[in-house]
Amino acid sequence: MTAKLLMEDLHVGFGTGDHTTTILESINFSIHAGEFVAITGPSGSGKSTLLSVAGTLLTPTRGHLLLDGQSLSRLNAKESANVRLHQIGFIFQSAHLIPYLNVEDQLLYIGKIGKIPKQKAKKRADELLDMLGLDHRRRHYPVHLSGGERQRVAIARAWMNDPQLLLADEPTASLDASRGQEVVETLATQVRQQQIAAVMVTHDTRLFRFCDRVITLSDGKVDQIEERNE
């Protein structure tokens, strides 16, 4: 089975010669369709840098990054932006919803910038709102939503353009434990149903039970890969 996301001997460093600082070193792993993988490790271990490389926000110093067989290692700025818009969905610590758009319009706006035809975008938004239990909140603005609801809108928004890869950076950091687990359980379920690849950076060990694998980073290297849900 072809990997959705593949990292081969991936390095990230800054500086030149004797003044080089290595952030990531010899990263090798793959994620297949329907897999939900957690990345964990202490602060400064390279987790956020790894997510930035996977999301084409940062170019690796050397090595290979492939998404669905397409090399992403040396894209120019325009090509990277196109990949992020059409192939990658992002979920951050905070939902970052647009305050003056209601829930439905948050999704339709993503469809608009992704150049999805209006009828198709409306149908996709309806499906996502129903799937994530938000249909009754479609006309509400972010200020009137709970923290869990806002993160579910963020999940729906990340899925709006049918991404091949979903990247979540501490998606439960702003939520209490029960809300956080609810959001990640929803995320994991939809990753498997939609058959996309997903990577979540988290410090919360309670969330590992929703994941297929847990990759621990230490000093910019893969320290351990633990299989879960076998």
Side-chain angles (χ1 to χ4, degrees), residues 6-12 24-28 53 59-66 71-74:
L6 177 64
M7 292 188 175
E8 289 185 326
D9 196 31
L10 195 140
H11 291 64
V12 174
L24 294 175
E25 183 177 356
S26 301
I27 301 296
N28 291 277
V53 171
T59 301
T61 307
R62 67 176 188 269
H64 300 285
L65 172 70
L66 292 95
S71 176
L72 306 184
S73 304
R74 295 291 180 268

Side-chain angles (χ1 to χ4, degrees), residues 12-23 61-62:
V12 174
F14 299 99
T16 57
D18 295 335
H19 298 93
T20 299
T21 299
T22 299
I23 308 300
T61 307
R62 67 176 188 269

Side-chain angles (χ1 to χ4, degrees), residues 154-169:
I155 291 172
R157 183 180 59 189
W159 252 300
M160 187 64 190
N161 287 346
D162 288 319
Q164 299 172 40
L165 174 66
L166 190 70
L167 302 175
D169 187 7

Side-chain angles (χ1 to χ4, degrees), residues 36 91 155 159 166 168 171 183-191 200:
F36 187 39
I91 302 171
I155 291 172
W159 252 300
L166 190 70
V183 164
V184 172
E185 184 174 16
T186 299
L187 190 58
T189 298
Q190 298 307 320
V191 163
M200 173 181 67

Side-chain angles (χ1 to χ4, degrees), residues 65-108:
L65 172 70
L66 292 95
L67 178 59
D68 220 20
Q70 174 191 4
S71 176
L72 306 184
S73 304
R74 295 291 180 268
L75 301 180
N76 61 37
K78 183 177 181 180
E79 291 168 336
S80 293
N82 190 59
V83 167
R84 288 193 297 272
L85 178 59
H86 296 286
Q87 296 174 261
I88 302 175
F90 293 89
I91 302 171
F92 301 100
Q93 293 184 23
S94 298
H96 296 299
L97 302 181
I98 300 171
Y100 53 82
L101 293 182
N102 65 34
V103 169
E104 181 179 39
D105 287 341
Q106 302 278 342
L107 306 191
L108 294 178

